[in-house]
Amino acid sequence: GERRELRGEERRQRQVCIRDSHRAEAEKSFAFMSDAFITAVAPDQMGPGVTMREVLDAAAPRIGEHFAGSPVAEAKVRFTFGRTYLDLGLYRQALEQFVHAHEVRLTALGPDHPDTLQTLDGHANALLRLGRLDDADPIIEDAVAGRSRVLGPLHEDTLTTTTRATT
């Protein structure tokens, strides 16, 4: 009875620590993104006519420093930057952010975490958009294998990556 209560209390305390850690990372990410956008439009900075690319280009070099000690938050912001660059048609910049995000997630979360596999897919997608098919193929194969193993072969994310392999 007493031992079970102690284990329950330990589990509850771990959950609180995890929740607080996620909240702190989210707040740090929000602060970085807010600062990047608010600073960019300030009249003494880039001004109200600033483009999304200019905001990203100005903020991207500061990601590593801002998120030192918070690798999961860093990778999330880098992944977001990668997707945004990809949507803007800036594939080289997208690739750079996806590669960094994947390296960070690989170290922090391990190779089979869904977020790590997500950045691997982004990396492959950027390579495909750059026309670097030979470089993309082994990355797509790794992403399909990982997503199939972790998420299942019929999961939406697995099927998305599998589609990349056939295009």
Side-chain angles (χ1 to χ4, degrees):
E2 216 174 294
R3 184 171 274 192
R4 181 179 286 175
E5 286 179 30
L6 283 175
R7 282 190 297 222
E9 179 61 23
E10 288 172 2
R11 186 174 25 255
R12 190 189 69 71
Q13 287 177 354
R14 269 196 310 270
Q15 289 171 341
V16 168
C17 286
I18 290 169
R19 184 192 68 224
D20 290 348
S21 173
H22 287 282
R23 180 178 294 133
E25 287 182 355
E27 288 173 1
K28 193 168 194 165
S29 297
F30 180 76
F32 179 80
M33 299 297 278
S34 294
D35 181 58
F37 288 98
I38 292 169
T39 301
V41 297
D44 61 332
Q45 297 296 317
M46 292 185 233
V50 67
T51 66
M52 179 61 75
R53 179 185 185 165
E54 291 169 327
V55 172
L56 294 172
D57 288 349
R62 299 192 325 260
I63 296 172
E65 179 184 333
H66 183 84
F67 292 98
S70 300
V72 175
E74 175 188 350
K76 188 175 200 83
V77 169
R78 287 191 182 281
F79 180 80
T80 301
F81 273 48
R83 286 198 48 192
T84 306
Y85 274 129
L86 199 68
D87 290 344
L88 291 171
L90 302 167
Y91 307 133
R92 185 183 53 76
Q93 293 88 335
L95 178 62
E96 180 180 341
Q97 294 305 316
F98 287 134
V99 167
H100 282 301
H102 184 256
E103 290 169 355
V104 171
R105 283 180 170 170
L106 191 60
T107 301
L109 303 173
D112 286 338
H113 192 282
D115 291 348
T116 304
L117 297 168
Q118 178 189 49
T119 55
L120 196 59
D121 180 70
H123 181 175
N125 192 10
L127 287 169
L128 287 172
R129 303 271 181 106
L130 286 166
R132 294 172 51 187
L133 306 181
D134 290 341
D135 293 330
D137 282 343
I139 295 169
I140 292 170
E141 288 175 19
D142 288 347
V144 169
R147 283 183 156 180
S148 293
R149 185 176 56 256
V150 173
L151 304 173
L154 298 179
H155 189 278
E156 178 183 355
D157 293 342
T158 305
L159 295 173
T160 297
T161 305
T162 302
T163 303
R164 289 194 210 298
T166 61
T167 57

